[in-house]
Amino acid sequence: MIHKFKMHGSNIVLDVNSGAVHMVDDIAYDILDHMDNSDEEIVNGLSGKYSRSEVMETLAELKQLKAEGQLFSEDFMEEYLAEHGPLSHSQPIVKALCLHIAHDCNLRCRYCFASTGDFGTQRTLMTAETGKRAIDFLIERSGTRRNLEVDFFGGEPLLNFEAVKEIVLYALERQKVSNKNFRFTITTNAVLLNEDHKKFINEYMDNVVLSIDGRPEVNDRMRFRADGRGTYEDILPKIMDMAESREQDNYYVRGTFTRENLDFSKDVLHLADLGFKQVSVEPVVAAKDTGYDLREEDLPGLFREYEELVYEYVKRHRESDGFNFFHFMLDLEQGPCLIKKLKGCGSGHEYLAVTPEGDLYPCHQFVGMEGFKMGNVNHGTDISVSISEMFEKQNIYTKPDCKKCWAKFFCSGGCAANAWQFNNCLDKPYEIGCELERKRVECALWAKAVEACE
Amino acid sequence: MKHIKTINAPAAKKDLKNSGCGECQTSCQSACKTSCTVANQKCEKR
Ligand code: SF4
Ligand code: SF4
């Protein structure tokens, strides 16, 4: 399988199975549509456009690449999976937890999947005790895995920061005797962020995700307090200070775009103009029937936005004024291993979320869906195997749409929570999410190709 | 080659044996919490 596309005057070809990427001229681009035909048919078919000798010369080059396994290469994964069966464990190994440290929030962001910060239940804070049991659970369930991750999430985790501190220190204490290596992250809206938090976060957290949507009016339209006041003005200096204190690394400013700012590239560039070097701005998820959910008819405009954004992105890198945009960062050489590319996010088996009460769910997006409750860290380390299996047996070859998708080895199969919300099953990905993902991968491939040619 | 410039040609045989150690970062924890592009994740072994 190959995928070819044109962008900003370049012709790019991806050989899906080998991962080879080529930049080709127009004649090669045209011939690629007819590679199943005989040489004569190809020459005749393109005779109005190119001469015989041109076609034959190009065809020889394409055939050479094919022989070298860099075009139309075989899909060896299918065979591998048939041989090795499903890639699942009888008892899943858990290596990452998302701790919902506070089901409470000082903001009322319209798109928050946590509704008003309380996840559709009631406002609660996780006790340090429950957090510690979650750490015990993780150590116990992680088998021989050494690197473990804990993300402090909410609601707003700064509303319960004393517990965060206690849990981190407890985990570090236990890591000494359990041969584990904990990595911590925290996601915050930054409203309460103070020196004390900053100091602790910079000392202990590998990553901090700071929520801001971009331009002031865009941010404040979605991200406001209970009394309706926007947040941009208050959070910006704090977020800037935080980013600087981490030397513009190991953090992300994270925004969400919706139907109300379809020109989101301006928000990305706004953040970059402010000096942020690590930027992630994502389409809103799980927003079915909200009015600001992204629709089919928005796609052409959104594609243009991504294309314009990547153009500017490359330009800024070239002028040494670059920034990282999460979804344009592709590692063509040394990305993750194949197994990871097959399986993606690991929700429901490797990665679980814990509510303030200690209840376990497949991931933060499933929290509160009663049918997906998998256990409770206060009641031992057992988890519902029927649920974990449901997640673990999924991979890009078990989902019909993914199997035939050219972007599968970059995407790894999409978001299970989105699939569930829009299609009521785990093996049919959310179509609009896929369309956007494929466009982002095209943009990222273009950026790589252009860089490589310089 | 005159008509084609290869940007990237990964090693022919994918190494499945050394695959799947699971020590790497969980994708949804990294930056976005909503999506799971994995191609920008690092492998811990390299
Ligand atoms: S873009 Fe969609 S179809 Fe393609 S691999 Fe990702 S989830 Fe599957
Ligand atoms: S299911 Fe979606 S939200 Fe949940 S961990 Fe996977 S990618 Fe992230």
Side-chain angles (χ1 to χ4, degrees):
Chain A
M1 190 196 297
I2 64 161
H3 174 65
K4 62 182 188 115
F5 62 95
K6 290 179 183 279
M7 196 178 288
H8 299 304
S10 308
N11 303 327
I12 315 269
V13 181
L14 165 73
D15 182 47
V16 173
N17 293 319
S18 72
V21 181
H22 313 280
M23 190 112 119
V24 305
D25 63 6
D26 288 337
I27 175 165
Y29 193 83
D30 288 344
I31 293 176
L32 280 168
D33 288 330
H34 308 284
M35 290 293 278
D36 287 339
N37 300 350
S38 72
D39 293 5
E40 267 322 294
E41 283 168 343
I42 296 174
V43 169
N44 292 336
L46 294 170
S47 63
K49 246 177 143 180
Y50 310 107
S51 73
R52 165 176 290 268
S53 62
E54 277 177 313
V55 172
M56 290 309 285
E57 181 185 72
T58 313
L59 202 48
E61 291 185 9
L62 291 170
K63 284 182 179 170
Q64 186 186 332
L65 284 181
K66 193 172 168 184
E68 287 166 2
Q70 292 176 26
L71 266 183
F72 304 103
S73 60
E74 291 295 320
D75 183 354
F76 53 89
M77 272 327 293
E78 200 146 30
E79 201 183 311
Y80 176 85
L81 287 171
E83 246 170 62
H84 290 74
L87 304 164
S88 58
H89 301 84
S90 51
Q91 278 295 313
I93 291 171
V94 184
K95 67 171 191 181
L97 290 180
C98 175
L99 296 190
H100 291 233
I101 202 78
H103 272 186
D104 193 0
C105 192
N106 42 1
L107 299 186
R108 294 292 176 269
C109 305
R110 277 168 62 200
Y111 48 52
C112 185
F113 57 82
S115 326
T116 54
D118 62 359
F119 289 78
T121 51
Q122 71 232 48
R123 294 170 193 278
T124 41
L125 301 180
M126 182 183 283
T127 63
E129 264 331 292
T130 296
K132 289 175 186 175
R133 294 298 76 78
I135 298 294
D136 294 341
F137 169 89
L138 184 55
I139 291 174
E140 181 122 337
R141 298 281 335 193
S142 55
T144 55
R145 298 287 163 86
R146 203 174 114 70
N147 293 329
L148 305 181
E149 292 158 63
V150 175
D151 184 39
F152 295 97
F153 198 64
E156 171 49 40
L158 296 187
L159 291 174
N160 194 13
F161 202 68
E162 284 312 308
V164 171
K165 285 183 178 169
E166 221 180 295
I167 296 163
V168 167
L169 296 176
Y170 176 78
L172 293 177
E173 207 43 55
R174 286 225 50 199
Q175 125 173 340
K176 285 189 209 148
V177 289
S178 54
N179 189 32
K180 299 290 180 188
N181 176 39
F182 275 96
R183 290 170 184 163
F184 302 104
T185 58
I186 189 164
T187 302
T188 174
N189 62 33
V191 172
L192 295 172
L193 198 60
N194 63 28
E195 285 299 314
D196 183 38
H197 303 133
K198 186 172 91 183
K199 191 158 168 280
F200 189 87
I201 289 171
N202 285 348
E203 190 167 347
Y204 293 105
M205 307 265 174
D206 284 78
N207 192 16
V208 47
V209 179
L210 304 155
S211 305
I212 182 168
D213 282 351
R215 292 164 291 176
E217 64 280 12
V218 170
N219 183 82
D220 288 353
R221 201 181 320 144
M222 280 287 167
R223 307 187 61 80
F224 44 78
R225 297 177 171 81
D227 64 9
R229 274 181 309 138
T231 51
Y232 182 91
E233 213 182 317
D234 295 333
I235 58 175
L236 184 63
K238 295 183 189 202
I239 291 180
M240 284 175 112
D241 178 53
M242 189 80 202
E244 276 306 316
S245 73
R246 296 173 77 86
E247 289 166 5
Q248 291 294 338
D249 205 2
N250 299 313
Y251 80 94
Y252 271 97
V253 284
R254 161 69 162 95
T256 300
F257 70 85
T258 69
R259 197 145 206 271
E260 297 188 9
N261 59 319
L262 292 172
D263 58 348
F264 72 94
S265 69
K266 295 204 177 70
D267 294 292
V268 176
L269 295 175
H270 176 78
L271 294 170
D273 288 341
L274 289 167
F276 292 115
K277 294 296 179 198
Q278 314 296 338
V279 181
S280 171
V281 173
E282 308 276 328
V284 69
V285 257
K288 212 174 163 185
D289 307 326
T290 54
Y292 52 78
D293 56 318
L294 302 169
R295 319 210 180 130
E296 183 94 37
E297 70 251 37
D298 302 329
L299 288 173
L302 291 173
F303 292 168
R304 268 196 308 279
E305 284 290 305
Y306 275 120
E307 287 188 20
E308 275 164 32
L309 181 60
V310 76
Y311 191 82
E312 181 67 20
Y313 183 76
V314 167
K315 181 164 158 264
R316 291 191 183 196
H317 272 277
R318 202 181 281 140
E319 292 163 357
S320 304
D321 185 27
F323 61 97
N324 288 326
F325 182 64
F326 185 70
H327 277 290
F328 288 165
M329 293 156 67
L330 273 197
D331 187 344
L332 290 180
E333 299 294 334
Q334 306 211 311
C337 67
L338 259 172
I339 299 288
K340 175 127 179 169
K341 289 181 180 175
L342 280 174
K343 306 207 56 161
C345 69
S347 62
H349 57 107
E350 257 181 12
Y351 168 65
L352 304 177
V354 188
T355 67
E357 297 75 27
D359 290 334
L360 289 155
Y361 285 93
C363 87
H364 55 287
Q365 292 273 6
F366 283 93
V367 161
M369 295 187 204
E370 220 21 58
F372 282 100
K373 193 150 115 185
M374 300 178 72
N376 186 300
V377 297
N378 291 311
H379 309 142
T381 55
D382 285 344
I383 54 178
S384 156
V385 178
S386 63
I387 296 180
S388 72
E389 257 177 18
M390 213 164 96
F391 282 81
E392 200 174 9
K393 69 174 198 233
Q394 301 289 339
N395 67 60
I396 49 181
Y397 284 81
T398 61
K399 306 176 199 180
D401 291 0
C402 300
K403 192 172 156 184
K404 57 175 202 265
C405 171
W406 64 264
K408 58 179 177 277
F409 291 118
F410 297 101
C411 163
S412 80
C415 166
N418 258 338
W420 186 262
Q421 178 144 52
F422 284 87
N423 299 323
N424 239 299
C425 65
L426 295 179
D427 57 9
K428 176 146 184 55
Y430 163 54
E431 200 41 54
I432 290 184
C434 293
E435 295 276 5
L436 294 173
E437 171 68 5
R438 285 189 281 258
K439 177 50 77 177
R440 288 191 296 247
V441 174
E442 281 187 352
C443 290
L445 289 173
W446 176 80
K448 282 282 168 200
V450 173
E451 270 167 31
C453 289
E454 277 173 0
Chain B
M1 286 194 176
K2 211 171 119 193
H3 302 274
I4 303 162
K5 184 178 160 58
T6 295
I7 305 301
N8 169 65
K13 193 75 195 144
K14 294 274 166 89
D15 191 358
L16 273 159
K17 245 188 270 144
N18 283 320
S19 205
C21 77
E23 293 293 354
C24 55
Q25 193 182 27
T26 308
S27 44
C28 219
Q29 300 275 53
S30 50
C32 54
K33 282 275 183 201
T34 56
S35 154
C36 69
T37 297
V38 299
N40 51 15
Q41 305 270 310
K42 283 192 189 65
C43 170
E44 292 283 333
K45 286 192 185 166
R46 287 182 291 220

